[in-house]
Amino acid sequence: MSSDNIPKYDQLPIDASYPPHTAWGLWREDDNYGTLNLLTEERVLNASKCIRRGAIFPLNWKLESPQPVLFGRPEIEHTQIPHNEHNLAFDDVYNNFNPQSSSQWDGLRHIAHIGSQLFYNGVKPTEVVQKGTHPDSNGRLGIHHMARRGIAGRAVLLDYARWAAEHNPNYDPFERYEITVEELEKVAAAQRVKFEEGDILLLRTGWIETHDRLGEKVKDAIKDLKHPHCAGIKACEETFRWLWDHHFAAICADNPPVEAFPPTDWATSCHSALLGGFGMPLGEMFFLEHLAEDSAKDSVYTYFFTSAPLNKENGVSSPPNAICIK
């Protein structure tokens, strides 16, 4: 589908039987990719023009971070297994590995469109429950679809934290703060960024930088580990319209939930509207520090982006295994 045929946010849905402002059916009713469909071969090829130096910036944070672990998720346990008594060869095992404990993709199984009680494209909850627990359970929206498709394209960084240091001096990424479309536009203008259809939006809130700077004191700064307060994009129709009408393929941030957290209402949250409504994957706790530092020096905020999620049949999420190349 060409961009000329993609309806504006205010024209969604394409069928009156679908919930308001959802993209269901836009890429066929059996689609499992959502907005990743925007990453066409032509756009991937064009994105390769962003490679001029060969500088590589991995975006995975340490699997051991953050500390402490958030949202009640388990902490990874690493066991190294020697093959012989002389310790000349090893295997290793990750126990309690939750793919959403550190840098992650939220796949389209993560959260439904809450208002309709259905997942992206009208997929029923019974279709995405653990395989074998319900006769309707199938492979719809599993993370393996993203993995087998692959993710590559042009990424654009908006360094809100660096902009806020000058324009919003009281800003604290560990406090609940709603980053508005107006502010995002100001950051883009300050960086002289021009968006293109199919871009992967990277947003630096400063959350990881603050976490690492606080060290052991981070435990005192996060009052509620299951519902950590943090800055992020504002969940509102203006934000949803802005994201959709720019035709972003995905949005990724360095904070735990992309949106300002906790949500005031899960039914109107970014998770519900983007994952369940648009089929737009969310990247969370992406490590953007080295990338942002380099871009602040050369004023280049566009990159060739690749990501290879885990090819786990029926998975919900995955570490991004993402890289930006300049």
Side-chain angles (χ1 to χ4, degrees):
M1 174 180 290
S2 69
S3 59
D4 293 339
N5 296 326
I6 298 177
K8 294 288 189 180
Y9 176 80
D10 291 328
Q11 296 172 316
L12 293 174
I14 62 169
D15 188 306
S17 66
Y18 299 141
H21 300 302
T22 62
W24 296 6
L26 188 61
W27 290 287
R28 303 192 323 179
E29 292 184 352
D30 62 350
D31 176 58
N32 292 292
Y33 301 139
T35 51
L36 294 182
N37 281 290
L38 295 167
L39 297 173
T40 62
E41 290 184 1
E42 181 182 11
R43 288 178 179 142
V44 174
L45 180 61
N46 189 59
S48 68
K49 298 175 184 177
C50 294
I51 303 176
R52 295 172 180 169
R53 291 165 41 203
I56 298 173
F57 299 88
L59 305 185
N60 276 29
W61 202 13
K62 296 179 294 184
L63 280 176
E64 296 80 9
S65 294
Q67 284 291 333
V69 182
L70 303 177
F71 305 112
R73 290 167 178 154
E75 184 172 351
I76 189 171
E77 297 174 359
H78 180 223
T79 302
Q80 193 165 314
I81 303 171
H83 275 207
N84 56 59
E85 60 184 16
H86 303 293
N87 292 329
L88 298 178
F90 296 90
D91 283 348
D92 59 356
V93 174
Y94 297 158
N95 293 309
N96 285 334
F97 176 44
N98 184 320
Q100 290 176 286
S101 290
S102 187
S103 302
Q104 65 190 268
W105 279 119
D106 282 353
L108 303 187
R109 282 189 171 200
H110 180 46
I111 288 183
H113 181 266
I114 302 299
S116 66
Q117 301 288 289
L118 297 170
F119 287 79
Y120 168 66
N121 247 358
V123 172
K124 299 175 182 177
T126 52
E127 295 182 78
V128 299
V129 295
Q130 186 79 38
K131 187 176 181 180
T133 62
H134 193 281
D136 291 345
S137 177
N138 56 49
R140 289 300 304 276
L141 308 183
I143 201 72
H144 63 278
H145 293 289
M146 291 172 59
R148 294 170 192 177
R149 184 193 187 283
I151 303 172
R154 193 183 90 136
V156 177
L157 172 68
L158 292 184
D159 193 346
Y160 179 84
R162 201 173 300 270
W163 177 88
E166 179 179 352
H167 300 281
N168 188 4
N170 294 322
Y171 169 74
D172 181 352
F174 271 42
E175 296 291 334
R176 190 183 189 283
Y177 179 83
E178 296 177 329
I179 300 172
T180 65
V181 165
E182 181 182 8
E183 289 179 299
L184 294 174
E185 290 281 12
K186 288 180 179 179
V187 176
Q191 296 177 186
R192 298 181 180 179
V193 164
K194 300 294 184 184
F195 300 116
E196 296 180 2
E197 292 174 352
D199 278 346
I200 296 155
L201 180 62
L202 307 177
L203 174 64
R204 179 174 176 264
T205 68
W207 194 91
I208 283 181
E209 186 278 329
T210 302
H211 172 281
D212 288 351
R213 176 168 44 81
L214 287 173
E216 288 295 320
K217 295 180 180 178
V218 73
K219 298 176 182 178
D220 300 322
I222 302 177
K223 306 300 182 185
D224 186 346
L225 293 178
K226 289 190 175 181
H227 308 92
H229 285 225
C230 70
I233 60 173
K234 183 178 181 179
C236 66
E237 209 164 48
E238 183 182 16
T239 299
F240 305 151
R241 180 180 293 106
W242 187 81
L243 291 171
W244 179 262
D245 287 349
H246 276 91
H247 298 160
F248 292 120
I251 177 172
C252 313
D254 64 338
N255 66 356
V258 175
E259 63 186 305
F261 204 84
T264 56
D265 183 348
W266 276 103
T268 57
S269 67
C270 291
H271 279 69
S272 175
L274 303 185
L275 290 170
F278 294 170
M280 181 180 289
L282 302 181
E284 298 166 343
M285 290 187 282
F286 274 43
F287 183 77
L288 303 175
E289 294 309 295
H290 295 163
L291 182 67
E293 183 179 357
D294 188 83
S295 291
K297 293 176 181 177
D298 67 6
S299 298
V300 175
Y301 292 92
T302 55
Y303 327 97
F304 184 74
F305 174 98
T306 68
S307 172
L310 297 179
N311 190 358
K312 177 65 190 78
E313 189 89 23
N314 301 328
V316 172
S317 61
S318 172
N321 304 317
I323 291 174
C324 278
I325 308 176
K326 297 178 72 172

